[in-house]
């Protein structure tokens, strides 16, 4: 959708993910993007299977609110937030993701992220390669 958009700094739209199966690569390589769109009906996004590479290299992004995402069908978050160096807040309040097996590089180089609660989500990982690699300086 906005893949490799080096000039994108601000987005103001609402995205309803009720029927989405993937949002992969949606904002990949948008290094100046400072805010994520408002995602609505996340509690109904029961078909969403992958969010891999969604925000990869969004280096200016500071906050993402996925607080209503439960992720019952998610299988991969590979590279989803990779190199989001300014990311301080990632809200995953209701996130469960019982089918997620691929976490590889999901939070690599998230240098500003100080805490994240994945206790309900990690149940059967098969790939966690470099998930938190280079997260703090």
């Amino acid at each position: 959708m906005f893949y490799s958009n080096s000039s994108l700094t601000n987005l103001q739209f609402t995205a309803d993910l009720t029927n989405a199966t993937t949002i992969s690569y949606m904002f990949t390589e948008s290094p100046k993007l400072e805010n994520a769109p408002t995602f609505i009906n996340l509690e109904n996004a029961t078909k969403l299977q992958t969010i891999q590479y969604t925000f990869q290299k969004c280096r200016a992004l500071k906050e993402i609110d996925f607080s209503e995402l439960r992720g019952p069908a998610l299988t991969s978050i590979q590279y989803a937030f990779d190199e989001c160096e300014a990311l301080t807040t990632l809200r995953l309040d209701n996130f469960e993701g019982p089918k997620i097996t691929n976490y590889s590089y999901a939070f690599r180089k998230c240098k500003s992220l100080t805490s994240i609660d994945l206790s309900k989500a990690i149940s059967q990982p098969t790939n966690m390669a470099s998930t938190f690699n280079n997260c703090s300086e």
Side-chain angles (χ1 to χ4, degrees):
M1 182 179 252
F2 298 101
Y3 183 89
S4 196
N5 189 327
S6 61
S7 61
L8 184 66
T9 60
N10 191 18
L11 277 175
Q12 293 189 355
F13 75 92
T14 303
D16 185 345
L17 301 179
T18 301
N19 293 310
T21 57
T22 182
I23 57 170
S24 295
Y25 297 94
M26 188 177 265
F27 305 102
T28 301
E29 295 183 25
S30 297
K32 295 178 184 175
L33 181 64
E34 295 177 0
N35 67 304
T38 301
F39 293 105
I40 62 169
N41 293 327
L42 282 175
E43 68 276 11
N44 296 323
T46 57
K47 299 174 186 173
L48 193 59
Q49 297 172 5
T50 179
I51 60 171
Q52 59 191 22
Y53 298 90
T54 302
F55 296 102
Q56 184 193 36
K57 296 183 182 179
C58 290
R59 293 185 175 105
L61 192 60
K62 294 180 181 165
E63 181 176 347
I64 301 170
D65 187 355
F66 275 164
S67 59
E68 296 304 316
L69 180 65
R70 287 171 179 75
L74 273 176
T75 58
S76 178
I77 63 169
Q78 175 181 354
Y79 288 93
F81 310 101
D82 178 43
E83 294 189 43
C84 288
E85 296 171 351
L87 188 65
T88 58
T89 305
L90 176 58
R91 295 200 48 213
L92 294 167
D93 304 357
N94 295 302
F95 188 68
E96 294 175 8
K99 295 181 179 179
I100 298 174
T101 56
N102 192 349
Y103 291 86
S104 64
Y105 299 89
F107 306 101
R108 186 181 73 105
K109 292 188 180 181
C110 288
K111 296 178 180 186
S112 300
L113 191 62
T114 56
S115 68
I116 185 169
D117 183 3
L118 293 173
S119 60
K120 293 188 234 173
I122 299 178
S123 61
Q124 53 184 349
T126 57
N127 189 350
M128 290 195 72
S130 299
T131 300
F132 297 102
N133 189 36
N134 292 322
C135 278
S136 63
E137 294 180 358

